[in-house]
Amino acid sequence: MTKDSQNCHFKDFAVTVVAMNKTTKGYEQITAPSVSNEDQTAEIWLPVELFQNFPEDQQQVGIVTYDSDQQFNLNDFIMSDIIRIELLDHEIEYLINPLIIHFPVNNYTNNTNTSYIYSCQYYDEEGNDTWKTDGCNTTQPRDDVVQCSCNHMTAFAVLLVEVNNIDKRQWEILSVISYVGCSLSAIFSAFSVLTFIFNRKARAEVSSSIHVSLSAALFLLNISFMLSEWAATLQKNKVCVFIAVMMHYSLLSCFTWMAVEALHLYLLLIRVFNIYIRHYMIKLSLIGWGVPAVVVGSLLLFHITYPTRPFYGTKDVTFSNSKATNAACWITEPVVLYGVNLSYFTVVFLFNLMVLLTVSRQIFKLKQVDLKKQKKIPVKDAGTVLGLMCLLGITWGLVFLGSGYINYPILYLFCIFNTLQGASIFLWMCLTAKPDKQKVDHTKSLSTVDTFTSEKQKE
């Protein structure tokens, strides 16, 4: 190669080799070579700073346009040319400023009820020879052009993919519900923590300590959730990664503390006369805060070690009734999103559900024992079970009913119940503090775990 650019046309592809001008500021525009006498070809913008540290004889970039997608097409709908971008003698795994490609796209007619969107993807030749979206963002400035912004170099194309995402109007309503619920939950969770700090009697009770730890995890989750969309609008990717990691850690911490709630309830139920465990609360704290830290820390280490396949960052949600998208900071890798989170929660949910059913059975058994002595108020028993459902996170199980498709009633119930969990726990702690001023003998239901233990001992 000389310093001049050169074009070469072959049977199955065309290639352009361009000598970069490092004196240019920002980006340098390159037109991809055309094949099959195309009228429109892709336009590429490369960040010039990429070549600043390269010797002058290595400041060339090759652009390849393939005439056929046969070697790349794995039952995928490829809607553009396939463009390969590579540097001479250098393999670029991560770009601080992404390269930009404007793809002219083929028009299509949708004769089905299924929704489709354009998606910028790259061909993973080192993996399973499949098309992937890691490190690429998709926007559409015009109907006939798709803009791809990618942080690495390989073969790129625009694919037509099926979406089952949410309607934009429904998203806006659910967002309002979520933000209002998270705000209230964060405020009441903070009240729970502050009340615990300044209440010596509450600090002496293990049950209160567990409730407050769950409230603290919910506070972190609500705050990070409310910051996730804002952080996605910032140019600094590290801020978005931090918010995504914080939200993931607090989510797993919530699940873990819900399991701790169930574990504590189980121990009080089964080992009523011998529940003393040395350093009990310290061990529970190591589980509640430590296990999520190990999981998220391992994922973050992988994220840092392999920047071309980040686990955390900007996640785009495409609305089903438009081409608009909404970005938030969250997990970008589906394997982590569903493999880790869903399996983690499934184990917690099944254990907590088993404990709830066992405790509910005991509550109504106590009701039958006391029925001859005085009238019982069933509402209190039902309220106790509902309170335990909140503590144990049973309402999070609604995620199983909405998995795989959009079910708006389930989504609304999920948002309402789970964003108000912090407020519900604060209310539970206030209500369960009342029996201390009354005789436990006249308590008609399980108001706290400790009260339930007293009733069990009397039996």
Side-chain angles (χ1 to χ4, degrees):
M1 270 295 298
T2 64
K3 292 184 179 180
D4 299 326
S5 300
Q6 292 187 8
N7 297 323
C8 299
H9 292 267
F10 299 93
K11 179 180 178 181
D12 298 316
F13 63 89
V15 60
T16 294
V17 181
V18 180
M20 300 296 293
N21 182 6
K22 67 179 183 179
T23 61
T24 305
K25 300 297 182 181
Y27 285 81
E28 181 161 325
Q29 183 176 355
I30 304 172
T31 300
S34 61
V35 292
S36 303
N37 298 319
E38 293 178 333
D39 295 332
Q40 290 183 314
T41 57
E43 293 291 334
I44 302 164
W45 286 264
L46 288 176
V48 178
E49 64 186 39
L50 175 66
F51 304 90
Q52 297 297 327
N53 298 323
F54 291 172
E56 188 172 350
D57 59 346
Q58 296 182 13
Q59 293 178 8
Q60 288 90 23
V61 59
I63 312 293
V64 179
T65 304
Y66 292 90
D67 185 44
S68 171
D69 61 10
Q70 184 175 357
Q71 70 185 84
F72 301 97
N73 196 344
L74 303 174
N75 297 321
D76 294 302
F77 297 102
I78 300 177
M79 304 301 292
S80 69
D81 288 333
I82 298 175
I83 304 294
R84 180 184 295 276
I85 305 173
E86 290 187 1
L87 298 185
L88 177 64
D89 297 328
H90 292 281
E91 187 171 332
I92 303 301
E93 295 185 350
Y94 184 76
L95 294 171
I96 298 177
N97 293 316
L99 61 90
I100 300 172
I101 309 174
H102 279 192
F103 280 103
V105 291
N106 301 325
N107 294 324
Y108 74 97
T109 302
N110 187 6
N111 296 319
T112 68
N113 294 326
T114 306
S115 297
Y116 294 94
I117 60 168
Y118 291 121
S119 174
C120 295
Q121 301 191 20
Y122 75 96
Y123 193 69
D124 184 15
E125 297 169 309
E126 297 180 357
N128 299 322
D129 291 330
T130 58
W131 289 96
K132 294 186 176 180
T133 60
D134 306 345
C136 289
N137 291 325
T138 307
T139 56
Q140 192 169 2
R142 300 198 312 266
D143 290 340
D144 59 342
V145 173
V146 172
Q147 175 177 304
C148 300
S149 301
C150 300
N151 61 10
H152 54 279
M153 292 185 174
T154 182
F156 302 100
V158 177
L159 276 65
L160 193 66
V161 297
E162 180 182 344
V163 292
N164 292 311
N165 288 340
I166 193 170
D167 176 279
K168 184 177 181 180
R169 178 58 180 165
Q170 299 291 343
W171 175 275
E172 293 173 349
I173 298 173
L174 287 167
S175 295
V176 172
I177 295 174
S178 298
Y179 278 109
V180 172
C182 285
S183 299
L184 292 174
S185 187
I187 293 171
F188 283 104
S189 296
F191 284 163
S192 298
V193 175
L194 293 175
T195 302
F196 177 81
I197 293 174
F198 294 106
N199 189 333
R200 182 182 300 178
K201 190 172 183 179
R203 294 199 303 270
E205 296 182 4
V206 174
S207 297
S208 296
S209 300
I210 297 174
H211 298 341
V212 168
S213 298
L214 176 56
S215 296
L218 286 170
F219 177 80
L220 293 176
L221 178 61
N222 292 321
I223 293 299
S224 57
F225 173 80
M226 290 188 290
L227 293 175
S228 62
E229 290 191 27
W230 166 79
T233 62
L234 301 178
Q235 297 297 325
K236 297 182 179 179
N237 186 56
K238 291 183 179 180
V239 177
C240 190
V241 171
F242 173 78
I243 295 297
V245 171
M246 179 180 172
M247 185 158 58
H248 192 203
Y249 172 71
S250 56
L251 178 66
L252 296 186
S253 296
C254 288
F255 293 159
T256 310
W257 278 109
M258 292 171 195
V260 170
E261 291 272 11
L263 176 64
H264 180 62
L265 188 60
Y266 174 80
L267 291 176
L268 289 176
L269 176 68
I270 303 303
R271 301 176 60 182
V272 176
F273 299 102
N274 182 23
I275 63 171
Y276 175 75
I277 300 176
R278 191 176 182 182
H279 305 305
Y280 182 53
M281 194 59 209
I282 294 177
K283 293 177 180 178
L284 293 182
S285 297
L286 289 175
I287 296 173
W289 299 113
V291 173
V294 172
V295 175
V296 176
S298 301
L299 295 174
L300 183 59
L301 180 63
F302 192 92
H303 171 93
I304 296 173
T305 306
Y306 300 97
T308 57
R309 296 183 179 178
F311 285 166
Y312 300 102
T314 303
K315 178 73 173 179
D316 289 324
V317 176
T318 304
F319 303 123
S320 61
N321 61 339
S322 69
K323 297 175 182 178
T325 59
N326 193 77
C329 299
W330 187 222
I331 300 170
T332 57
E333 181 59 50
V335 174
V336 177
L337 180 62
Y338 298 105
V340 175
N341 289 3
L342 194 57
S343 59
Y344 195 101
F345 173 70
T346 300
V347 174
V348 172
F349 177 78
L350 292 176
F351 174 66
N352 288 12
L353 184 61
M354 177 191 69
V355 172
L356 177 66
L357 293 175
T358 304
V359 172
S360 300
R361 180 173 173 270
Q362 292 296 326
I363 290 175
F364 291 104
K365 187 188 287 187
L366 286 174
K367 175 184 175 181
Q368 294 176 355
V369 172
D370 275 352
L371 193 59
K372 298 180 180 179
K373 298 180 181 179
Q374 51 190 342
K375 294 182 178 180
K376 293 278 289 184
I377 303 177
V379 175
K380 290 186 177 181
D381 296 313
T384 298
V385 175
L386 290 175
L388 291 175
M389 287 179 63
C390 174
L391 285 177
L392 303 184
I394 301 301
T395 55
W396 285 82
L398 290 170
V399 70
F400 296 119
L401 301 179
S403 178
Y405 61 95
I406 297 301
N407 189 328
Y408 290 117
I410 297 298
L411 283 178
Y412 278 98
L413 290 175
F414 183 87
C415 288
I416 293 171
F417 288 151
N418 296 325
T419 57
L420 290 174
Q421 189 176 10
S424 302
I425 293 176
F426 177 78
L427 181 62
W428 170 269
M429 294 177 66
C430 291
L431 293 176
T432 55
K434 290 183 179 181
D436 294 337
K437 301 178 183 179
Q438 303 171 358
K439 293 182 179 180
V440 179
D441 294 337
H442 297 291
T443 303
K444 304 303 184 287
S445 64
L446 175 64
S447 53
T448 64
V449 172
D450 301 321
T451 305
F452 175 77
T453 306
S454 301
E455 292 287 345
K456 184 70 177 175
Q457 288 173 333
K458 290 180 182 181
E459 183 184 5

